[in-house]
Amino acid sequence: MRSWLTYTAARLALFAGAFGVVYLFGARSWIALILAWVISGLASYVLLSKWRDQMSASVVDWSNKREKQDKAVGSRLVGGAAREDEIQDELLRAQEAEAAAAAETERNGEKPAREAEKAAESAEKAGEEAPEAEGTRK
């Protein structure tokens, strides 16, 4: 950060100096701005190469650190998504097994345990006896 600030301040100072010199020689308005921009660019290429290299190195270091952090976050996200997928798959398998067991119970002609319990509870609430199983009525 410091090298970026130093280099930028030096570039602005070169631009201001070049603008002052161009203005003293009689250039005005847009022409003075363009000439100062070109002169300060050439001067900074020669005079500020050391600071530009330092700034470039600090930007590369910062970029590498940021990339490592992004990879770490990405791997944590991938791991979390994989765990979430495993949990969803496990729940899906449990639901499929429950549905298969209910279908098997219905194929055998038996009421599922939950339905029988619900029928008994509703009959008790109504003050009646629980309904008899099919085939046992007289």
Side-chain angles (χ1 to χ4, degrees):
M1 177 69 180
R2 184 172 177 251
S3 60
W4 177 83
L5 188 61
T6 306
Y7 179 75
T8 304
R11 281 294 308 259
L12 288 173
L14 279 175
F15 179 79
F19 183 79
V21 169
V22 169
Y23 190 82
L24 286 176
F25 280 111
R28 303 286 188 254
S29 188
W30 290 101
I31 295 174
L33 289 174
I34 292 171
L35 286 174
W37 177 69
V38 169
I39 292 170
S40 69
L42 293 173
S44 70
Y45 184 75
V46 174
L47 299 174
L48 304 178
S49 64
K50 180 178 125 186
W51 289 351
R52 186 175 47 254
D53 292 342
Q54 289 174 352
M55 182 185 68
S56 175
S58 70
V59 168
V60 168
D61 289 342
W62 176 83
S63 177
N64 289 339
K65 287 178 187 176
R66 184 72 178 192
E67 187 175 315
K68 287 178 184 177
Q69 289 175 351
D70 288 348
K71 284 182 182 179
V73 169
S75 66
R76 287 196 314 254
L77 287 174
V78 168
R83 285 190 296 275
E84 183 180 351
D85 290 344
E86 290 173 8
I87 291 170
Q88 287 178 345
D89 290 344
E90 187 177 315
L91 288 173
L92 184 60
R93 284 191 296 269
Q95 289 174 350
E96 289 174 351
E98 187 177 302
E104 183 67 28
T105 305
E106 287 180 16
R107 264 190 251 128
N108 292 337
E110 302 171 0
K111 288 185 175 181
R114 285 191 225 162
E115 291 179 10
E117 289 175 8
K118 287 181 183 178
E121 288 175 9
S122 63
E124 288 176 10
K125 287 181 183 177
E128 303 172 2
E129 292 183 15
E132 298 179 14
E134 290 183 29
T136 58
R137 286 189 175 172
K138 295 181 183 175

